Amino acid sequence: MASTPTQFNAAIISKVAQYVYDHSDEAINVEALADYAGFSKYHFNRMFFAATGFQLGEFIKRQKLEKAMFLLKTGHSNILEVAMSVGYDSPSSFIRAFKTNFGCTPSDIQNGKSPLNVLVNSSRTLFLKNFHTQLVTDRY
């Protein structure tokens, strides 16, 4: 049975999401991801946005911050190490991005506060959660 374009796009996006997770400590750019997926950056950007509703840069940032959230929730107590492990050069830029995305600081998460996620009720977050769940399941 031949795969549909939607299945093909989902497979590519899943592959890219895994790549972002695996390389979260590196600088990741659109050109590298498009090359990894086998498309021009322009076509890949359009395809990615059509499939997810996310700009690729927004997705990369969000995936890195989701990984940081996971690390903080699983006992990684050094915020600087967590920031570096997801590609941030300074703790201040990491904390600022984290707070902007989740409505709380990394320290708040370590102290048991639940994040306030402005995208909680959006289908984009559900899409990311499904990919994140699949990625975590595949890893462990």
Side-chain angles (χ1 to χ4, degrees):
M1 175 186 231
S3 64
T4 66
T6 302
Q7 290 170 329
F8 179 71
N9 288 350
I12 290 169
I13 291 165
S14 181
K15 179 180 169 182
V16 166
Q18 182 68 49
Y19 180 90
V20 170
Y21 189 93
D22 292 342
H23 296 89
S24 61
D25 60 331
E26 303 170 11
I28 301 172
N29 61 41
V30 174
E31 292 84 6
L33 284 179
D35 187 50
Y36 179 73
F39 296 96
S40 76
K41 75 176 185 178
Y42 301 106
H43 179 69
F44 186 64
N45 240 341
R46 285 191 303 273
M47 182 179 75
F48 192 89
F49 184 77
T52 67
F54 280 98
Q55 294 295 332
L56 199 47
E58 180 184 7
F59 179 80
I60 293 167
K61 179 179 177 181
R62 185 67 184 202
Q63 285 292 99
K64 288 182 172 205
L65 291 171
E66 290 282 344
K67 182 177 181 179
M69 173 78 73
F70 175 77
L71 293 172
L72 291 165
K73 284 185 171 183
T74 57
H76 289 79
S77 60
N78 188 317
I79 293 173
L80 177 59
E81 287 178 10
V82 171
M84 298 296 192
S85 75
V86 294
Y88 282 84
D89 294 330
S90 76
S92 61
S93 63
F94 169 69
I95 292 168
R96 189 172 36 257
F98 196 94
K99 189 169 186 174
T100 299
N101 278 271
F102 298 119
C104 61
T105 66
S107 297
D108 291 337
I109 297 301
Q110 290 174 325
N111 294 327
K113 182 177 180 183
S114 294
L116 171 66
N117 188 337
V118 295
L119 299 175
V120 166
N121 294 322
S122 80
S123 60
R124 293 179 350 159
T125 298
L126 179 59
F127 177 86
L128 277 182
K129 285 184 179 178
N130 287 339
F131 271 116
H132 182 70
T133 301
Q134 182 62 42
L135 292 175
V136 170
T137 302
D138 289 347
R139 271 186 223 103
Y140 302 103

